[in-house]
Amino acid sequence: MGVFDRLPPMDLMRSEKMCFVQLIIPAESSRVAVTYLGELGLLQFKDLNEDKSPFQRIFVNQVKRCAEMSRKLRFFSDQINKAGVRSSVRPALEPDIDLEELEARLGEHEHELLEMNTNSDKLQQTYNELLEFKLVLSKAGGILASSHNHAASAERELDENIYDNGVDEGNSYLLEQGMHQGSPGNSGVRFVSGIILKSKALAFERMLFRATRGNMLFNQAPAGEPVTDPISGEEVEKTVFVVSFSGEQAKTKILKICDSFGASCYPVPEEMVKQRQIFHEVSARLSDLEVTLDAGIQHRNKALESIGSQLWRWTIMVKKEKAVYDALNMLNFDVTKKCLVGEGWCPIFAKSQIKDCLQRATLHSNSQVGIIFHEMDTIESPPTYFRTDKFTNAFQEIVDAYGVARYQEANPAVYSVVTFPFLFAVMFGDWGHGICLLLGTLVLILREKKLSSQKLSSFMELAFGGRYVILLMAIFSIYCGLIYNEFFSVPFHIFGKSAYECREKSCSDAHTAGLIKVRDPYPFGVDPSWRGSRSELPFLNSLKMKMSIIMGVAQMNLGIVLSYFDARFHGNALDIRYQFIPQMIFLNSLFGYLALLILLKWCTGSQADLYHVMIYMFLDPAGDLGENQLFWGQKELQILLLLLALVAVPWMLFPKPFILKRLHKERFQGHTYRFLGTSEMDPDSEPDSARARHDDFNFSEVFVHQMIHSIEFVLGAVSNTASYLRLWALSLAHSELSTVFYEKLLLLAWGYDSLIVKLVGLIVFAFATAFILLMMETLSAFLHALRLHWVEFMNKFYHGDGYKFKPFSFALLADDED
Amino acid sequence: MGFLVTTIIFLLAGVAASLSTLLCCNRGPSTNLFHLTLVNTAVICCWMMYAIVYLAQMKPLINPILSGE
């Protein structure tokens, strides 16, 4: 064991050593200091003002200012997006401006933009109204022209209406007068023309009819093309109408009804000449307005462009400032109100960097007093910080998804980097599919730089983040595929001749008694003769099941050994003696023995039934083994192992709680006397935890905890070993799917003579392989390998109840916000 | 014999891979230890896979019976 002490500590095996530090910053250099600390990104501030609401904190005004500025920036970016202006991000040609200047500038720009927007809105409305007027002119002109031709029939209609509805005498007299007076084109009948939404036209007409008691003539013509409504700004279907009536009262009624229906009325002169005149005037005004509108839009777009080129810089600046003030809000003013006091966690290796940082801040802020930075003691458990690079980051995140490691606990990611892709490959083994995966992930890795700066869809982002995981998965899949001898389920004779041949030259009994083994086993991997034979499945199933058991026992042993190293690191001899040793004994005397039996059976070629052996080891240990005997002394060994396992269970259950109780009593025995002796107590001399835990040792709780832990281990030993059989199950499923696609799709299609059938078969085979085998099976095997790691491997040693180190860092801020 | 030879080949490959990792990416003792752990774990896993499949075929209890007529 001494050799392990002489080795250097392994990178990534345990989280970085952290220390709790206190900073005392004079008020004038506080902002600069926190900004530099944010750039360094290695200090996690502890929130000393947790119980205060956001409005009670010190720098609440600055935070509000920053929030207001970021609102203005968001407004600008909205406007830019709406206008569709594309601005290039110019490099920082302008000098850095400070926050007050930026605030003023932002205010100016916003005011300008809002003004421009209102102006252009008004102009646009006028423009739309004029367009409508033009439309009304043209359509109403048409209606009036045609109505003059029907003047006679209109006359008759009006007469009938008068007689039917009993209109006022005065009115009817006037109407009659008007009728008889007028020649076509110059009747005393007045009219109102306008435009209304098509959907409302019918109701409008009916309302008018009722209100004027039928004394009106309603002509309408659809506008033909969708018109932009001046008020709502949308394109709607409208109808031009002309209401002919007579009398003042009718006019007011009609106008009121037009108002209520939202119809816009435009004055249209009766005479054709005047109509044309006004038409020309309106067209001229429209073209003028168009020019003005265009100019306005250009002006606005230019302003937006100049804003847009700076927008990114400004946004980042404002975000940084807000973050700095949020961090400053976590600090406290001390009694003199001249310094800010802050506390936080930082890794020990970063202490000198932080000191440098703070010195620079003192210098740049021209402060007289330096910043005090010193370590403090605390009982809180430190955060967990792993320094990962782009390769190990994905694996660490996979482990963290289950639970962040406790401070300085053994990190399963170290072994998962290899075992996770390896177990994936055991379930995926096909070197053809592995090559496809490899090509796919190489594309991602080679375009790493370009893809990392782009914004990707969520699926692509997952795939891109895990590109190194998939790379290892692909490489191991190729290896396992070579071992299983499957290339899209086709075996090859790459490594030499098959070990099996026909009994005689004529191969007459190849389909009944089968081939015989004439040589040494196939040098690397599964013999290609098995593929397609009738006894393929019994052979492969037996092979893969036993392989799963052996791999499972190996990985679980690794987990228990890691718990030994953990206990050793923390100096916990109790755990080693009363947890590690009985766990090893229990697991290996049962399942390690099973693995040994498997290996022996393979090496000796015995016909022993291992199920029988294992079951009767429990049911009838003293019974005779008979033909299931694999080696001499097996019965005695089995009895011994059974006894060891039975002893191991109380060994891991009982001693630990009692010893813990005794240790606790010894440790705190003196303290009870001390409490009676002293009346004054210095709160700093005795850490809180000791006082808190003084009476806190609850024996029954500890005992129950230990019992649960032991039962979990004992029962888990059986269930976890069986759980590893999923390695067999998934690998069988993959192989069978692959075989089905190959035989029933490709071979079937290839059997036909027609080229089209062959092509179609090839395409369907390619799609089926890509979607079902490459995507679905990958996800499935990924998931199961993940489960095997999270549950069966990590529950042997991992606690996973830590919290992650989240330093105050501008780089992390950018990731968060996006 | 084939098994022993291949096992020795795996062993040599492991040693070679470890040495080349130490030579090409020498980044301090703790990082080296980490890389060595990865390489050796990979070699052990691969060898285990090969050994299991080879041992299972050394003295088989059944033999391939071709399907079809």
Side-chain angles (χ1 to χ4, degrees):
Chain A
M1 289 299 124
V3 67
F4 290 113
D5 284 330
R6 283 195 292 268
L7 285 174
M10 195 174 3
D11 229 14
L12 216 69
M13 182 65 167
R14 296 186 192 279
S15 67
E16 299 289 328
K17 287 212 184 59
M18 313 288 272
C19 59
F20 193 62
V21 294
Q22 192 180 52
L23 291 151
I24 304 185
I25 315 178
E28 63 266 19
S29 45
S30 59
R31 222 208 80 199
V32 182
V34 174
T35 313
Y36 286 168
L37 282 174
E39 277 166 22
L40 182 66
L42 282 172
L43 182 72
Q44 177 179 346
F45 282 107
K46 180 173 161 193
D47 196 350
L48 295 169
N49 300 324
E50 253 176 342
D51 46 351
K52 290 200 198 153
S53 80
F55 295 101
Q56 287 171 319
R57 301 204 183 199
I58 315 173
F59 294 95
V60 61
N61 284 329
Q62 277 82 345
V63 174
K64 269 199 245 174
R65 277 169 67 191
C66 290
E68 180 63 23
M69 278 197 275
S70 55
R71 181 198 64 82
K72 288 193 190 137
L73 286 168
R74 272 198 303 272
F75 170 66
F76 292 150
S77 95
D78 272 341
Q79 291 290 312
I80 291 179
N81 282 342
K82 253 204 282 189
V85 172
R86 214 141 271 290
S87 50
S88 59
V89 182
R90 270 183 279 145
L93 296 168
E94 307 184 6
D96 285 330
I97 54 178
D98 66 339
L99 211 64
E100 282 83 25
E101 234 186 275
L102 181 63
E103 215 179 344
R105 266 222 240 167
L106 285 179
E108 268 172 38
H109 281 299
E110 191 189 19
H111 185 74
E112 209 185 313
L113 257 181
L114 283 174
E115 236 187 89
M116 276 194 274
N117 278 348
T118 29
N119 285 347
S120 80
D121 279 341
K122 264 192 270 177
L123 278 176
Q124 189 73 29
Q125 196 174 0
T126 320
Y127 181 76
N128 285 336
E129 277 176 9
L130 281 177
L131 266 179
E132 275 190 355
F133 191 16
K134 196 164 145 188
L135 206 62
V136 169
L137 273 175
S138 52
K139 296 285 173 180
I143 294 176
L144 287 173
S146 65
S147 77
H148 289 153
N149 296 337
H150 298 288
S153 47
E155 231 181 295
R156 256 181 277 125
E157 245 188 80
L158 274 173
D159 282 331
E160 283 169 30
N161 284 336
I162 290 170
Y163 291 135
D164 284 343
N165 298 322
V167 181
D168 275 354
E169 290 296 316
N171 268 348
S172 66
Y173 174 73
L174 264 173
L175 273 168
E176 276 177 349
Q177 276 229 314
M179 282 293 94
H180 297 310
Q181 231 181 31
S183 54
N186 248 345
S187 56
V189 175
R190 303 207 312 259
F191 61 91
V192 165
S193 56
I195 192 169
I196 188 175
L197 275 175
K198 198 168 183 177
S199 46
K200 294 195 193 169
L202 195 61
F204 183 54
E205 186 179 351
R206 248 187 280 139
M207 187 59 128
L208 281 174
F209 189 84
R210 260 187 255 141
T212 57
R213 312 214 192 143
N215 266 340
M216 64 103 204
L217 189 59
F218 188 83
N219 277 315
Q220 60 176 335
E225 54 194 8
V227 176
T228 316
D229 187 44
I231 303 170
S232 68
E234 296 165 354
E235 301 232 328
V236 285
E237 290 278 338
K238 290 209 178 183
T239 319
V240 177
F241 65 86
V242 175
V243 182
S244 316
F245 60 92
S246 73
E248 211 37 59
Q249 280 179 340
K251 179 174 181 172
T252 40
K253 271 191 232 167
I254 290 175
L255 286 177
K256 260 193 235 159
I257 294 173
C258 283
D259 236 349
S260 75
F261 271 83
S264 340
C265 299
Y266 296 101
V268 172
E270 261 198 71
E271 296 86 16
M272 290 289 286
V273 176
K274 266 212 206 140
Q275 273 179 16
R276 252 180 260 144
Q277 220 181 2
I278 297 198
F279 192 81
H280 284 307
E281 264 177 46
V282 169
S283 302
R285 269 189 74 194
L286 269 176
S287 45
D288 276 342
L289 265 181
E290 264 176 40
V291 171
T292 318
L293 267 176
D294 271 337
I297 291 183
Q298 290 285 25
H299 182 54
R300 185 194 66 173
N301 282 358
K302 250 207 282 227
L304 280 178
E305 224 182 280
S306 78
I307 296 178
S309 60
Q310 304 280 0
L311 197 66
W312 186 236
R313 265 184 58 207
W314 288 344
T315 320
I316 296 214
M317 230 165 76
V318 170
K319 265 198 229 170
K320 277 195 194 172
E321 282 302 317
K322 181 159 188 298
V324 167
Y325 282 115
D326 279 335
L328 280 173
N329 273 337
M330 293 200 227
L331 312 178
N332 254 341
F333 266 119
D334 73 334
V335 274
T336 63
K337 292 280 177 204
K338 282 201 226 133
C339 293
L340 282 169
V341 175
E343 293 176 358
W345 291 100
C346 77
I348 291 193
F349 71 80
K351 268 171 75 173
S352 56
Q353 288 176 19
I354 295 183
K355 281 207 186 111
D356 273 340
C357 206
L358 295 174
Q359 267 178 5
R360 262 192 311 140
T362 314
L363 213 62
H364 289 176
S365 63
N366 300 324
S367 159
Q368 307 296 71
V369 189
I371 302 180
I372 301 177
F373 174 76
H374 68 106
E375 243 185 86
M376 258 178 38
D377 278 330
T378 180
I379 53 155
E380 271 173 31
S381 95
T384 314
Y385 180 47
F386 287 111
R387 273 195 284 181
T388 53
D389 55 19
K390 66 181 177 183
F391 175 71
T392 48
N393 193 31
F395 293 101
Q396 189 62 50
E397 272 185 32
I398 289 179
V399 170
D400 282 346
Y402 180 68
V404 179
R406 210 186 255 188
Y407 179 63
Q408 298 249 291
E409 180 180 46
N411 181 18
V414 166
Y415 294 98
S416 296
V417 170
V418 168
T419 56
F420 175 74
F422 178 69
L423 287 185
F424 170 87
V426 170
M427 294 190 266
F428 194 75
D430 184 315
W431 55 285
H433 299 152
I435 291 180
C436 295
L437 263 188
L438 183 68
L439 291 174
T441 189
L442 277 179
V443 165
L444 282 179
I445 293 182
L446 289 175
R447 299 172 68 200
E448 207 170 44
K449 287 219 167 41
K450 202 175 119 199
L451 285 172
S452 61
S453 54
Q454 275 179 3
K455 186 99 175 71
L456 303 163
S457 74
S458 66
F459 173 71
M460 272 305 285
E461 202 160 322
L462 274 177
F464 181 69
R467 58 195 182 280
Y468 288 106
V469 182
I470 304 182
L471 175 72
L472 279 186
M473 277 161 36
I475 296 178
F476 277 110
S477 297
I478 296 180
Y479 177 79
C480 279
L482 286 172
I483 289 208
Y484 289 154
N485 215 339
E486 283 190 20
F487 178 78
F488 293 100
S489 89
V490 176
F492 282 96
H493 288 71
I494 304 180
F495 295 102
K497 285 210 274 205
S498 162
Y500 293 92
E501 273 180 12
C502 293
R503 252 175 265 263
E504 312 136 15
K505 284 287 172 189
S506 60
C507 281
S508 53
D509 61 352
H511 299 275
T512 47
L515 311 172
I516 52 166
K517 186 163 180 293
V518 297
R519 277 182 276 274
D520 272 346
Y522 190 67
F524 189 80
V526 172
D527 199 303
S529 304
W530 286 105
R531 160 73 50 198
S533 67
R534 248 182 280 154
S535 48
E536 176 191 7
L537 275 181
F539 172 71
L540 280 183
N541 283 349
S542 160
L543 164 70
K544 287 183 179 171
M545 283 170 110
K546 292 179 172 141
M547 172 184 77
S548 314
I549 299 281
I550 295 179
M551 287 190 179
V553 169
Q555 195 175 34
M556 288 196 285
N557 270 315
L558 178 66
I560 304 182
V561 166
L562 278 178
S563 86
Y564 164 72
F565 281 109
D566 246 351
R568 194 152 170 271
F569 180 81
H570 290 110
N572 198 344
L574 201 66
D575 263 354
I576 297 179
R577 267 183 245 141
Y578 301 103
Q579 210 160 301
F580 165 68
I581 295 185
Q583 280 182 349
M584 280 295 261
I585 292 179
F586 184 81
L587 188 70
N588 286 318
S589 65
L590 294 180
F591 298 101
Y593 177 60
L594 175 60
L596 180 69
L597 284 178
I598 291 174
L599 289 173
L600 277 175
K601 182 174 176 183
W602 277 344
C603 290
T604 58
S606 142
Q607 301 242 1
D609 183 354
L610 293 182
Y611 286 123
H612 195 270
V613 168
M614 284 306 289
I615 294 174
Y616 278 84
M617 178 169 151
F618 286 90
L619 289 183
D620 186 17
D624 196 24
L625 286 167
E627 61 193 15
N628 291 329
Q629 179 114 6
L630 276 161
F631 55 90
W632 176 83
Q634 186 174 348
K635 185 165 82 168
E636 286 75 22
L637 180 65
Q638 282 182 191
I639 296 180
L640 175 66
L641 289 176
L642 194 61
L643 281 175
L644 277 176
L646 282 174
V647 161
V649 176
W651 187 349
M652 65 174 95
L653 176 58
F654 289 111
K656 193 168 158 193
F658 289 103
I659 296 184
L660 274 177
K661 180 172 178 189
R662 188 161 50 91
L663 280 177
H664 183 268
K665 242 197 318 197
E666 279 173 18
R667 190 171 159 210
F668 291 109
Q669 212 164 30
H671 281 217
T672 40
Y673 296 131
R674 212 179 104 187
F675 272 134
L676 291 173
T678 57
S679 51
E680 266 183 42
M681 266 180 295
D682 195 359
D684 283 347
S685 71
E686 189 180 306
D688 282 336
S689 68
R691 246 182 297 146
R693 283 189 280 169
H694 173 69
D695 288 320
D696 223 25
F697 185 79
N698 194 345
F699 177 74
S700 56
E701 209 182 291
V702 172
F703 187 77
V704 168
H705 176 89
Q706 190 63 25
M707 190 166 72
I708 292 177
H709 195 83
S710 308
I711 292 180
E712 201 187 322
F713 181 80
V714 168
L715 294 181
V718 181
S719 87
N720 292 351
T721 311
S723 183
Y724 275 96
L725 285 173
R726 69 187 68 220
L727 293 174
W728 156 63
L730 261 92
S731 131
L732 177 70
H734 188 96
S735 159
E736 287 299 304
L737 270 176
S738 189
T739 308
V740 161
F741 287 147
Y742 178 72
E743 281 175 10
K744 303 287 184 244
L745 278 180
L746 202 60
L747 283 186
L748 198 66
W750 222 257
Y752 289 88
D753 284 325
S754 140
L755 185 64
I756 298 183
V757 175
K758 286 190 183 163
L759 265 177
V760 165
L762 188 65
I763 292 175
V764 175
F765 172 71
F767 269 98
T769 302
F771 283 108
I772 298 184
L773 284 174
L774 285 181
M775 235 175 262
M776 189 189 86
E777 275 289 309
T778 303
L779 284 173
S780 169
F782 184 95
L783 183 81
H784 284 284
L786 202 62
R787 179 252 153 75
L788 280 178
H789 273 77
W790 279 355
V791 178
E792 274 77 24
F793 177 52
M794 294 192 338
N795 79 358
K796 299 282 180 291
F797 67 98
Y798 194 60
H799 297 283
D801 50 7
Y803 62 106
K804 218 167 162 173
F805 178 61
K806 276 207 186 60
F808 173 64
S809 158
F810 292 142
L812 284 182
L813 210 74
D815 288 336
D816 264 344
E817 298 269 345
D818 286 339
Chain B
M1 239 338 89
F3 181 63
L4 221 53
V5 169
T6 319
T7 305
I8 293 179
I9 294 179
F10 266 98
L11 198 68
L12 291 175
V15 169
S18 309
L19 283 176
S20 59
T21 320
L22 280 177
L23 283 174
C24 79
C25 336
N26 192 350
R27 257 180 250 151
S30 46
T31 317
N32 281 349
L33 191 60
F34 174 60
H35 289 158
L36 281 184
T37 308
L38 290 184
V39 166
N40 290 331
T41 315
V43 170
I44 292 177
C45 285
C46 291
W47 174 81
M48 216 164 51
M49 185 83 185
Y50 157 76
I52 289 173
V53 170
Y54 189 90
L55 288 176
Q57 295 184 100
M58 258 188 0
K59 299 200 167 125
L61 298 171
I62 51 178
N63 51 351
I65 302 175
L66 299 181
S67 60
E69 297 310 297

